[in-house]
Amino acid sequence: MVIRQMEEKDIPYVHEIEGRIFSRPWSKEDFRKSIQDPHNIYLVVEQDGEIIAYCGLWGVAGEGQINNVAVESSYRNRGIGRKMLQSLIDIGRNNGLKSFTLEVRVSNLSAIALYHRLGFQAAGIRKSFYEAPKEDALIMWL
Ligand SMILES: CC(C)(COP(=O)(O)OP(=O)(O)OC[C@H]1O[C@@H](n2cnc3c(N)ncnc32)[C@H](O)[C@@H]1OP(=O)(O)O)[C@@H](O)C(=O)NCCC(=O)NCCS
């Protein structure tokens, strides 16, 4: 398993996974713009030459705003999400980011468990933040 920086050539594969997992997927252009900004950090996890997971953050004023986290369903619950996010946080800290934040659906128990394991703490609720289906977001900070 290799964790490395997301590159332009990875975007079609990342976008295909994104479309299968999320009800409001990012476009290829969203990913392209995000990886081009040097303040941002985007990673992919590769196994046998295939992308099986990805994540990313926007670096804004010393904060890492984590906005994409996904692991292919057949590879979940093996610690891949944890290793990938730990790498993202480590690289972010090396780049001078002091804190990290994200939003997660209140029903997404596996993601919330993973974020707690990494040291994130719940800091509030954003009412009806998500569409399709409508749901509150839990705001978490590390
Ligand atoms: C959330 C996600 C990235 C986790 O990836 P992963 O590789 O399975 O993560 P890990 O294996 O490192 O950790 C998953 C944790 O959830 C726990 N878990 C799994 N199902 C659970 C459930 N129903 N309730 C509570 N905890 C659960 C696992 O036990 C594990 O915790 P542990 O390490 O303490 O045992 C993955 O499930 C995913 O891609 N989901 C769909 C996209 C998504 O929801 N992204 C997050 C948006 S904010």
Side-chain angles (χ1 to χ4, degrees):
M1 201 180 85
V2 178
I3 301 176
R4 61 165 177 81
Q5 207 166 319
M6 190 186 293
E7 297 170 25
E8 180 100 27
K9 69 175 166 59
D10 301 321
I11 290 175
Y13 304 98
V14 166
H15 182 253
E16 195 264 327
I17 299 172
E18 174 91 0
R20 271 189 283 115
I21 295 183
F22 296 105
S23 62
R24 294 284 165 91
W26 275 28
S27 68
K28 288 183 193 166
E29 196 50 29
D30 292 332
F31 282 105
R32 202 164 287 126
K33 279 194 193 137
S34 288
I35 67 170
Q36 279 167 0
D37 185 325
H39 297 104
N40 302 344
I41 306 165
Y42 274 76
L43 302 178
V44 294
V45 179
E46 215 175 36
Q47 175 135 308
D48 301 327
E50 223 176 285
I51 291 172
I52 58 164
Y54 58 92
C55 64
L57 63 74
W58 291 345
V60 182
E63 284 171 8
Q65 300 174 358
I66 298 176
N67 40 32
N68 305 81
V69 180
V71 175
E72 280 273 28
S73 53
S74 54
Y75 289 92
R76 288 180 194 162
N77 294 316
R78 299 187 199 177
I80 293 172
R82 179 135 55 96
K83 282 200 195 103
M84 171 175 79
L85 282 174
Q86 193 59 64
S87 301
L88 186 74
I89 291 162
D90 291 346
I91 296 169
R93 286 192 172 130
N94 283 336
N95 290 3
L97 299 180
K98 302 276 182 260
S99 55
F100 300 85
T101 186
L102 52 82
E103 285 108 10
V104 56
R105 284 181 182 270
V106 291
S107 66
N108 194 345
L109 299 182
S110 55
I112 292 169
L114 166 61
Y115 302 144
H116 273 139
R117 272 271 210 168
L118 288 161
F120 281 82
Q121 291 185 346
I125 295 281
R126 256 191 247 289
K127 280 301 226 187
S128 305
F129 181 74
Y130 293 104
E131 299 287 340
K134 205 177 235 336
E135 191 175 345
D136 296 348
L138 183 66
I139 305 164
M140 301 186 83
W141 280 92
L142 173 69

